[in-house]
Amino acid sequence: MSTRCLIGRKIENNKVEYIYCHHDGYLDGVGETLKTYYTNNDVIDKLMSLGDLSSLGKEVESNPDQWNYN
């Protein structure tokens, strides 16, 4: 089983932009990774541009397991 989550950020007009992440969506998983490695706006922009993910790593990179629902 997987712990799914949404990774989001507030954008203009108090709207939220988000992507889906399928694995490790708990605070000690995706939450801790975001808090530790995704603190720079440029890095966050790159992460959001990837779209939906199977999992989140320490670095923003294209993932062959990346999910693309677009």
Side-chain angles (χ1 to χ4, degrees), residues 37-45:
Y37 300 101
Y38 292 82
T39 58
N40 177 304
N41 282 333
D42 291 336
V43 174
I44 295 167
D45 289 342

Side-chain angles (χ1 to χ4, degrees), residues 2-43:
S2 300
T3 305
R4 300 170 297 269
C5 69
L6 298 175
I7 300 170
R9 64 177 171 178
K10 189 188 290 189
I11 57 174
E12 67 273 348
N13 298 325
N14 285 327
K15 294 183 180 184
V16 175
E17 169 186 40
Y18 65 88
I19 58 175
Y20 170 82
C21 185
H22 191 72
H23 294 285
D24 301 328
Y26 42 88
L27 291 177
D28 289 340
V30 168
E32 189 63 32
T33 301
L34 288 169
K35 180 180 171 185
T36 304
Y37 300 101
Y38 292 82
T39 58
N40 177 304
N41 282 333
D42 291 336
V43 174

